[in-house]
Amino acid sequence: MRSVGIVGTGSYLPDKVLSNADLAKFVDTNDEWIASRTGIRQRHIAEKDMPTSELCYQAGLRALEDAQIVPEEIDLIIVATMTPDYAFPATACLVADRLGAKNAAAFDLEAACSGFIFALATASQFVATGMYKTVLVIGGEVLSKILNWEDRSTCILFGDGAGAAVLQAVKEGFGFLSFELGADGSGGKLLSQPAGGSKCPASLETVGKNLHTLQMEGREVYKFAVRIMGDVSVKVLEKAGIKKEDVDLFLPHQANTRIIDAAVKRLGISPDKVVVNLDKYGNMSAASIPVALDEAVKARRITEGDTIVMVGFGAGLTWGACVLKWTKVGLKV
Ligand code: UT7
């Protein structure tokens, strides 16, 4: 098996910014409540005519530039999203077409906010076995289009964006050291978009009842998140044989600063080793971790040889984490 790493990253946020004060103009909320309960101060929102594939294309393009590879070199594109352009065709196929990735297979993967970690784990298998040399993994969401903008308990939390990573073989001892993935469907109802699928197809009634929007039992998801973030981080480090003292950067899913603080406390990692950007972007589901990763790389918070931990949780319920020893030097084998 080959060692597999990330040899390029990119991200894209739509221009339009919606602050907490902007939100307070049309829903019963305020900056103080949102900032103190979640840490969020603003979020980016896609224009009406901007679908998830557009954000993913822009992030993918930047990741390819960063990795210095051309679209024809990509063997596979995986898009992690819960807000695809369509139920079908897959958003990944649309992105492949926009990029001109003529030699790539393409499919979507849905594991909600854990999607990027699940997609990294999936992509890395193809490279590790030698089936593919180069895989583009993208996490992208336009959550603003599935929110109920009259429900203050959910609409204040989310934002739009996309982040991407190019995976290739890297030198031994570098790249992904371990993955830990999990799911518990008994918690599926805690966070869902109830209508539009085969269980509850679209009808005038489903539209009237707002069943095409995101529904969440926030407190229950919060309790799950606090428990699972700590548990899965401990497990993935054990699997990799890495001590918590040797972690250089912790990149958690960006849902709520209180959830991140609890996980960091449980792990006993110093807060200056933790990436937090949800104040600027809110929760971007599958895009949160790759955007945070790209920003950390570009800000030189991650350099050759660093050990980083990425951990996510979300609807499903799902959770996932990985340990990565950083190098951007790909082996073109
Ligand atoms: O990616 C995974 C997706 N989801 C998550 O990670 C979300 C996890 N859950 C959370 O982060 C938190 O549960 C929330 C931020 C969603 C909510 O925070 P909370 O501290 O659990 O608040 P709560 O739902 O218990 O509500 C407390 C109060 C309620 O008022 P009463 O009943 O105490 O009078 C709510 O009506 O706050 C009220 N409230 C608000 N007030 C102002 C709820 N939303 C708002 C709001 N503005 N936006």
Side-chain angles (χ1 to χ4, degrees):
M1 290 287 199
R2 295 165 178 177
S3 298
V4 184
I6 292 175
V7 300
T9 60
S11 58
Y12 179 77
L13 284 311
D15 291 340
K16 192 169 148 193
V17 170
L18 191 69
S19 69
N20 291 349
D22 294 332
L23 266 171
K25 288 178 195 152
F26 60 88
V27 63
D28 181 16
T29 189
N30 55 76
D31 177 54
E32 201 283 325
W33 192 97
I34 301 172
S36 63
R37 298 278 180 135
T38 70
I40 299 164
R41 299 226 167 246
Q42 61 171 50
R43 68 286 293 144
H44 289 242
I45 303 290
E47 296 297 335
K48 270 200 168 118
D49 60 354
M50 197 181 260
T52 296
S53 63
E54 172 65 23
L55 273 58
C56 290
Y57 162 71
Q58 297 289 351
L61 202 60
R62 287 161 170 76
L64 295 186
E65 277 166 17
D66 190 44
Q68 298 185 330
I69 66 163
V70 293
E72 288 80 3
E73 284 178 78
I74 309 170
D75 300 307
L76 172 66
I77 298 177
I78 305 178
V79 170
T81 186
M82 61 180 202
T83 50
D85 286 24
Y86 310 103
F88 60 90
T91 301
C93 295
L94 307 175
V95 174
D97 183 49
R98 284 284 311 272
L99 286 171
K102 294 186 177 65
N103 303 312
F107 65 88
D108 289 356
L109 183 155
E110 200 278 287
C113 304
S114 317
F116 186 70
I117 303 291
F118 275 62
L120 286 179
T122 306
S124 71
Q125 312 305 313
F126 286 100
V127 181
T129 56
M131 179 164 169
Y132 291 140
K133 287 180 183 160
T134 304
V135 183
L136 175 62
V137 175
I138 309 173
E141 306 280 8
V142 178
L143 290 156
S144 61
K145 293 189 188 174
I146 64 156
L147 294 175
N148 176 355
W149 288 99
E150 289 173 0
D151 176 10
R152 68 177 184 176
S153 69
T154 53
C155 76
I156 55 124
L157 297 170
F158 299 94
D160 303 336
V166 177
L167 271 60
Q168 281 183 340
V170 295
K171 62 193 167 208
E172 221 182 304
F174 285 76
F176 297 106
L177 303 182
S178 64
F179 278 103
E180 182 72 30
L181 307 177
D184 175 8
S186 72
K189 284 193 178 145
L190 297 179
L191 181 47
S192 70
Q193 183 184 13
S198 60
K199 170 101 175 170
C200 186
S203 67
L204 285 178
E205 194 192 347
T206 59
V207 173
K209 287 183 173 167
N210 257 325
L211 296 178
H212 296 271
T213 60
L214 180 150
Q215 323 268 322
M216 180 171 71
E217 289 184 34
R219 274 203 185 165
E220 291 307 309
V221 176
Y222 184 92
K223 283 190 252 169
F224 152 74
V226 165
R227 176 175 55 79
I228 208 72
M229 286 268 270
D231 286 356
V232 73
S233 304
V234 168
K235 269 193 195 163
V236 83
L237 280 169
E238 270 172 20
K239 229 180 196 177
I242 299 283
K243 291 197 217 83
K244 63 181 190 201
E245 300 77 42
D246 296 328
V247 173
D248 295 299
L249 206 66
F250 184 65
L251 263 145
H253 173 48
Q254 306 284 310
N256 187 319
T257 36
R258 292 186 291 143
I259 295 173
I260 295 174
D261 289 349
V264 168
K265 205 169 156 196
R266 161 93 191 275
L267 270 179
I269 287 178
S270 152
D272 61 307
K273 291 183 174 179
V274 182
V275 178
V276 177
N277 67 7
L278 60 81
D279 52 325
K280 293 184 290 181
Y281 307 130
N283 180 348
M284 297 184 290
S285 186
S288 278
I289 292 175
V291 169
L293 174 68
D294 183 47
E295 288 192 342
V297 173
K298 303 285 157 65
R300 299 190 189 285
R301 286 188 78 183
I302 301 177
T303 51
E304 179 86 7
D306 280 355
T307 301
I308 68 172
V309 177
M310 298 192 266
V311 53
F313 64 90
L317 298 167
T318 55
W319 55 92
C322 63
V323 179
L324 179 60
K325 195 166 174 61
W326 189 257
T327 180
K328 276 181 77 183
V329 184
L331 305 176
K332 303 245 171 179
V333 288

